[in-house]
Amino acid sequence: MSVGDFLLVAVLAVPALGALAVAAIPRDRAARLVGTLAAALTLVAAVALVAGRDQGWTTYAATASAVRPWHSIDLPWVPGLDLRFHLGVDGISWPLVVLTALLTLLCCGYSLWRVPGGGDGRALVALLLVVEVGILGTFLALDLVLFFLFFEVVLLPMYAIIVGWGGDGTDPASLDARRRAGRKFALYTLFGSVLLLVGVYVVVAAAGTADIMVLTGGSELSRTTQLAAFTLLAFAFAVKSPLWPLHSWLPDAHTQAPTVGSVLLAGVLLKMGTYGLIRVAVGVAPEGARWAAPVLGVLAVAAILVGSLVCLAQTELKRLIAYSSVGHMGFVLLGVATLTATGIQAALIGNVAHGVITGLLFFLAGAIKDRTHTGALSELSGLRETAPRLSGLLAFAAVASLGLPGLAGFWGEAFAVVAAVEAGGALWTTLAVLAAIGGALTAAYLLRLLRRVTHGQPTPAVAALSPGLAGAELVAWTPLVLLALAVGLAPTLVLGVAEAPVEALVGVLR
Amino acid sequence: MSEQSLVQAVDHLALLPAYLAAGTAVLVLLVDLVLARPVATVVTATSGAVATAVGAAAVGSGAQRRTFCVGSDCSYVFGGRAALVAALVALLVLGVLALSGPLLRAGNTPVGEFCFLLTCSMTGGVVLGAAGDLITLIVAVEVLTLPLYVLVGLRRGSLASAEAAVTFFVVSVVATALTLLGAALLYAVTGGLHLERLGTLLADEALLDLPLTTVAVTLVVAGLAFKVAAVPFHAWAPATYDGAPLPVAAYLSTASKLGGVIALLAVVQHALPPEVTGPVLALVAALTMTVGNLVALRQRRTVRLLAWSSVAQAGYILAPLGALALAADADARTAAFAAALAYAVFFVLLELAAFAGVVALRPAGADGGRLDELRGAARRHPWVGAGLAFALIGLAGLPPGLAGLFAKVTVVRSLLGGGAGWLALVVAVNAVIGLAYYLRFAALLYSSTGDVTPPVVRPARAVAVALAVATVVALVVGFAPQIVLDLAAS
């Protein structure tokens, strides 16, 4: 077993064992510390995966597959179900793996300092780690059935986080609201993942293998199978991403979830959908992807416009940020729908940027709500007067989110539009124009948010604030601020590693 | 015509598990009569069940054994599958005995009779898997079911129990009559009763086209569908489960349901033409899971919820058989049967765990009660509550209940492998509906009780052990589902 293979296993095993350890340690604070430590080790292992990739590249370049992992591990698990324990990491998945590990670490660290709703902090950290295992496994799986398995692992822990630690209060109404939100999240996403299950076995039954490396390119499948498989898979990932009109679980879940839950939900959980679309749906059924691309593009642009317009009318802070995700993921999906190298690169960097920026936005929204006990925009004006640092960070995150050049949000949105223009034809040009208008609307609602929240006379709730930030908050937010800057100034951080695998993927799409 | 010997050599080794099971029943009766000590009776029944399971496994590990043969047709075929069924039934009896601890100690139920009837029923289950002709099959199913009429109504002074027993009795007798009539008609058409001979004879086009054949096949399948509680023959199950003592309800929804499934599998696999049964079973499966899940959504009583959910689960078990008509080759058919059996094995395991959890969290000898009475139970009993929640999540087919997840995957895989994509979609959508109530139940265990102080309950040790064992086994087969898949395919 080489170092790379070892790291690959460690990335999953460390958080899994960490979750068990956290559950087994009776002392609350010690358990949370152990959990944070496990998350930190996972991040180290995840970052270290990039080492030795060149050697991996030449080793696998000999194979004809369009997926050439830097490291991979392939063990039999359940031959009767075509399930192999096949993991691998390449330039498409690595940035997301690191993002997941980073956000989980920040969430665990944040939970050391503050446990939402006064609940059991130990259980929360354990659940965060289980969610991490599921998400990382999804990004690393190179076997369709294994991919599905990890896809489902996330569901119930996330439900428990929303219902157990979410909401604003303990009164029956808010209890009911978060239960409803949790149930909606669970049922919606399960609907997505059962379609994924059916889609996966449509592919497996036709091709006789579940190996993504073999299946990418779709040479094993007939056109009819590809159309059926892509439809099912695209539906599954559209629920997760979420793509309009299947998005209605998202605002409720994000609004009701505790801060750490929202950060993980928006930051990386949604990426399982877009990553799946690129790696599984497009990769395995390219013919189907070409066939459905216009529909996907139209829906993506509809998501951008609808998301932005709804945001313009929102009066609640977390809900607004939640809806903004619908718009941003619309840009990502538009990028994928073009099926060009530019578009998919835009999608990948858009994924990472959205994870960083929306993660930060949810942290900030959580901090504001924790301090003022309200999320209503009308009760939050004048934040700049009493809490200048918080307000400054919020302004930074909002500006990054609206896609100011030089910050992370810019690349994904700009290049998604560029890719649509490059795709040519009346349809794609129209879509590009509409998406650009959506980008302008995004700027409009985020600036409206800033005007309402930071400017104006302080309301009673805001006037009572003290200007300071807790150390834990600074520690949790600084990496995200820096990353938003770094990815914005040097997009090659993401695109550099992703270039070769995207070229290979686009190569089989033609 | 060659001369046949009228004296048959009986392979007693093949019959060993059946001897053990029947011997246990007789021994339990004698011990109860002679010693009249409840502990001795229960110990006898327990060790008998263990011996039966071990015997079945030992005999089954060897080559297939056939006995009571006429020519090449045998009435008793003890192979890998028969061993699996026999061992499983014996283990389920063991589990149910453990669950009955609080019930028997509460004193409303006569211990000797309870154990005797349970072990009698076990005998039926042990023979069932090995049945090679329709008569043996029907007799085995009846031996499995008959003691249950009494067991359901055994609680003294309980009107609900008596009602449940009568419902169950009437429905079950009608079902048996239907199956027998079907078997008789099949004999009239073909002149054969052995399953494999029937299969060969019915492969003949001319016989298949006879209306009488269709009627006979329909009657046999419908009668057995009653036993499985498949829609539209399901209405007896919720009333009976809810009226029966909890351990008996557990037995009804595990061993008894398994028996029905095995009987149905046997006739469909060997005897009846798949072109006829396939579409019917596909329809029955789709209806069963949909109706079961939809009605379960509205249940407020614990056992009724489990009963309706087990109706829905029967639909998942039957689903792979729905692909039979479309499955082109024998391989795909064998895979469908193996998938149905594998699902049934995963299901009975999780169902037993779920019932064990409910029994543990309820006062000794009580019925299932309303769901609300279990509110917050997992906060008071973290381990038992976690076990019950794990079983429920497994039944919903989600991680961390990997056993349930793989069960679902097995069914969907076999359906898509057999070309029945629409049924796979029905299964998928039903999994979502199912989650709604399983999740409600599981979440309820963890919600706060508010101002109401719930009754103090101490989970009985035997029940907790049964729950722990079932959970551990579910965890093991969750990580190594190949064990179950291999056993089911043997």
Side-chain angles (χ1 to χ4, degrees):
Chain A
M1 193 186 240
S2 73
V3 179
D5 300 352
F6 173 75
L7 285 174
L8 215 46
V9 175
V11 165
L12 288 183
V14 171
L17 294 175
L20 286 179
V22 170
I25 296 172
R27 292 211 4 247
D28 184 41
R29 186 152 178 90
R32 279 188 274 160
L33 259 175
V34 169
T36 312
L37 196 67
L41 283 176
T42 313
L43 179 62
V44 172
V47 172
L49 277 174
V50 78
R53 69 191 161 103
D54 291 324
Q55 168 232 331
W57 186 252
T58 43
T59 315
Y60 286 98
T63 61
S65 172
V67 181
R68 294 163 205 160
W70 303 337
H71 315 287
S72 77
I73 181 165
D74 189 4
L75 302 167
W77 185 0
V78 191
L81 298 174
D82 303 298
L83 170 56
R84 296 182 67 81
F85 194 75
H86 189 178
L87 300 175
V89 64
D90 69 358
I92 295 182
S93 52
W94 182 72
L96 291 170
V97 169
V98 173
L99 180 67
T100 309
L102 176 69
L103 284 181
T104 315
L105 173 60
L106 298 182
C107 288
C108 286
Y110 193 78
S111 305
L112 266 182
W113 172 67
R114 178 190 289 272
V115 177
D120 182 1
R122 212 160 52 102
L124 177 64
V125 170
L127 288 173
L128 287 174
L129 289 172
V130 175
V131 169
E132 184 183 21
V133 174
I135 300 176
L136 289 175
T138 310
F139 291 148
L140 292 176
L142 283 183
D143 181 285
L144 279 180
V145 185
L146 190 67
F147 179 91
F148 160 76
L149 198 73
F150 279 121
F151 205 80
E152 290 229 309
V153 166
V154 177
L155 206 151
L156 284 179
M158 203 38 155
Y159 164 83
I161 289 177
I162 294 174
V163 175
W165 287 267
D168 309 315
T170 47
D171 55 298
S174 74
L175 206 68
D176 237 31
R178 64 177 189 252
R179 258 193 220 131
R180 237 194 336 269
R183 202 156 48 219
K184 203 166 169 186
F185 163 78
L187 294 181
Y188 247 102
T189 40
L190 179 66
F191 175 68
S193 62
V194 290
L195 289 181
L196 174 64
L197 171 64
V198 176
V200 161
Y201 276 104
V202 165
V203 173
V204 174
T209 173
D211 189 338
I212 292 181
M213 286 173 64
V214 177
L215 287 167
T216 301
S219 50
E220 320 269 325
L221 304 173
S222 71
R223 183 178 156 80
T224 337
T225 317
Q226 287 204 27
L227 298 195
F230 188 84
T231 311
L232 287 163
L233 295 172
F235 254 109
F237 297 131
V239 172
K240 200 79 171 185
S241 299
L243 181 60
W244 182 87
L246 298 171
H247 67 284
S248 71
W249 62 269
L250 179 139
D252 289 342
H254 284 52
T255 312
Q256 293 296 329
T259 302
V260 287
S262 307
V263 170
L264 274 192
L265 261 174
V268 280
L269 211 82
L270 307 184
K271 277 62 186 182
M272 291 162 66
T274 44
Y275 171 80
L277 198 63
I278 296 173
R279 166 116 312 152
V280 176
V282 172
V284 169
E287 185 105 26
R290 270 198 297 278
W291 168 72
V295 181
L296 217 54
V298 169
L299 290 178
V301 170
I304 297 172
L305 292 174
V306 172
S308 317
L309 290 174
V310 172
C311 276
L312 272 174
Q314 283 305 313
T315 55
E316 214 271 349
L317 184 60
K318 273 184 103 173
R319 222 175 158 76
L320 190 151
I321 301 173
Y323 262 112
S324 82
S325 288
V326 176
H328 285 123
M329 296 317 277
F331 277 105
V332 173
L333 291 165
L334 178 65
V336 179
T338 61
L339 299 180
T340 58
T342 318
I344 293 179
Q345 296 248 22
L348 290 175
I349 196 163
N351 259 344
V352 174
H354 177 258
V356 171
I357 296 167
T358 310
L360 182 59
L361 273 172
F362 270 117
F363 265 131
L364 293 168
I368 292 173
K369 277 188 89 167
D370 282 344
R371 285 171 164 75
T372 59
H373 305 289
T374 175
L377 294 184
S378 56
E379 292 176 40
L380 284 174
S381 64
L383 199 65
R384 200 177 49 170
E385 308 287 327
T386 53
R389 287 173 207 160
L390 199 56
S391 140
L393 279 169
L394 186 69
F396 173 80
V399 168
S401 181
L402 67 80
L404 190 77
L407 293 174
F410 170 71
W411 301 104
E413 309 200 350
F415 277 97
V417 175
V418 169
V421 173
E422 276 178 3
L427 174 70
W428 289 104
T429 314
T430 318
L431 290 180
V433 171
L434 289 175
I437 294 174
L441 288 174
T442 309
Y445 70 74
L446 283 164
L447 292 174
R448 168 178 167 270
L449 166 74
L450 284 182
R451 185 174 59 76
R452 305 259 325 242
V453 173
T454 61
H455 291 60
Q457 283 300 312
T459 58
V462 173
L465 291 185
S466 63
L469 296 178
E473 290 178 325
L474 277 178
V475 172
W477 302 343
T478 314
L480 295 177
V481 173
L482 293 180
L483 259 182
L485 267 173
V487 174
L489 293 175
T492 173
L493 277 178
V494 177
L495 298 182
V497 291
E499 196 178 352
V502 168
E503 286 299 337
L505 179 65
V506 174
V508 299
L509 285 178
R510 296 185 203 294
Chain B
M1 202 171 159
S2 68
E3 199 160 311
Q4 275 185 353
S5 165
L6 290 177
V7 182
Q8 286 191 336
V10 176
D11 183 352
H12 290 287
L13 194 56
L15 287 166
L16 179 70
Y19 288 153
L20 282 169
T24 306
V26 174
L27 204 60
V28 165
L29 196 63
L30 288 177
V31 167
D32 182 50
L33 207 65
V34 176
L35 292 180
R37 299 251 312 269
V39 178
T41 316
V42 174
V43 167
T44 313
T46 312
S47 24
V50 172
T52 310
V54 172
V59 177
S61 62
Q64 193 188 59
R65 290 176 167 276
R66 306 164 80 90
T67 188
F68 299 124
C69 294
V70 180
S72 64
D73 303 317
C74 299
S75 297
Y76 193 90
V77 185
F78 202 90
R81 178 174 298 179
L84 174 66
V85 175
L88 210 54
V89 169
L91 292 176
L92 286 171
V93 165
L94 205 59
V96 170
L97 276 171
L99 297 198
S100 329
L103 176 77
L104 297 181
R105 219 167 294 143
N108 277 341
T109 313
V111 178
E113 282 85 337
F114 184 91
C115 291
F116 169 66
L117 289 167
L118 201 58
T119 41
C120 276
S121 174
M122 171 171 82
T123 313
V126 168
V127 175
L128 179 62
D133 69 46
L134 273 178
I135 300 303
T136 313
L137 190 81
I138 293 169
V139 168
V141 170
E142 274 318 292
V143 174
L144 176 69
T145 328
L146 203 67
L148 290 173
Y149 307 143
V150 188
L151 276 175
V152 168
L154 200 58
R155 220 166 11 166
R156 293 192 190 105
S158 165
L159 194 62
S161 265
E163 269 181 25
V166 172
T167 316
F168 184 36
F169 176 70
V170 172
V171 172
S172 203
V173 165
V174 171
T176 310
L178 284 183
T179 318
L180 274 173
L181 184 58
L185 292 180
L186 273 180
Y187 182 69
V189 175
T190 62
L193 275 175
H194 290 93
L195 298 176
E196 276 159 18
R197 168 165 294 261
L198 276 172
T200 348
L201 289 170
L202 285 175
D204 181 1
E205 290 279 330
L207 274 184
L208 257 186
D209 289 342
L210 279 181
L212 196 57
T213 317
T214 315
V215 173
V217 170
T218 314
L219 286 174
V220 171
V221 171
L224 292 175
F226 266 110
K227 304 281 178 190
V228 191
V231 174
F233 313 109
H234 63 287
W236 61 272
T240 306
Y241 286 22
D242 201 16
L246 273 176
V248 177
Y251 188 81
L252 276 170
S253 73
T254 54
S256 171
K257 179 157 294 201
L258 181 70
V261 168
I262 298 301
L264 204 52
L265 276 180
V267 293
V268 173
Q269 181 171 18
H270 298 299
L272 305 183
E275 300 79 23
V276 182
T277 51
V280 176
L281 285 172
L283 190 66
V284 167
L287 275 178
T288 304
M289 59 183 106
T290 312
V291 172
N293 275 326
L294 287 178
V295 183
L297 280 176
R298 299 196 52 82
Q299 297 309 311
R300 293 285 173 270
R301 288 182 63 77
T302 314
V303 175
R304 285 207 179 238
L305 183 129
L306 287 175
W308 281 105
S309 92
S310 96
V311 168
Q313 299 279 351
Y316 301 140
I317 300 177
L318 295 181
L321 305 184
L324 280 180
L326 296 166
D329 51 311
D331 273 357
R333 279 183 199 153
T334 319
F337 292 116
L341 189 57
Y343 191 98
V345 173
F346 285 121
F347 161 70
V348 292
L349 188 60
L350 292 165
E351 183 84 348
L352 185 73
F355 267 101
V358 173
V359 174
L361 293 174
R362 297 283 298 152
D367 64 357
R370 283 176 297 111
L371 278 173
D372 280 338
E373 292 171 54
L374 290 175
R375 185 177 290 279
R379 288 170 180 252
R380 299 189 290 278
H381 308 285
W383 287 101
V384 176
L388 176 54
F390 178 80
L392 291 171
I393 297 305
L395 286 171
L398 278 177
L402 282 179
L405 175 80
F406 283 123
K408 193 169 75 183
V409 170
T410 312
V411 167
V412 169
R413 178 177 183 274
S414 87
L415 282 175
L416 287 168
W422 70 273
L423 198 52
L425 277 175
V426 175
V427 170
V429 171
N430 267 287
V432 180
I433 307 175
L435 180 69
Y437 59 84
Y438 286 123
L439 197 58
R440 182 159 59 89
F441 192 171
L444 187 111
L445 295 172
Y446 285 92
S447 62
S448 67
T449 38
D451 311 328
V452 193
T453 34
V456 182
V457 179
R458 278 205 60 217
R461 196 173 303 141
V463 182
V465 168
L467 176 61
V469 171
T471 309
V472 169
V473 175
L475 274 173
V476 170
V477 298
F479 280 102
Q482 193 62 35
I483 303 174
V484 174
L485 296 177
D486 284 344
L487 281 175
S490 65

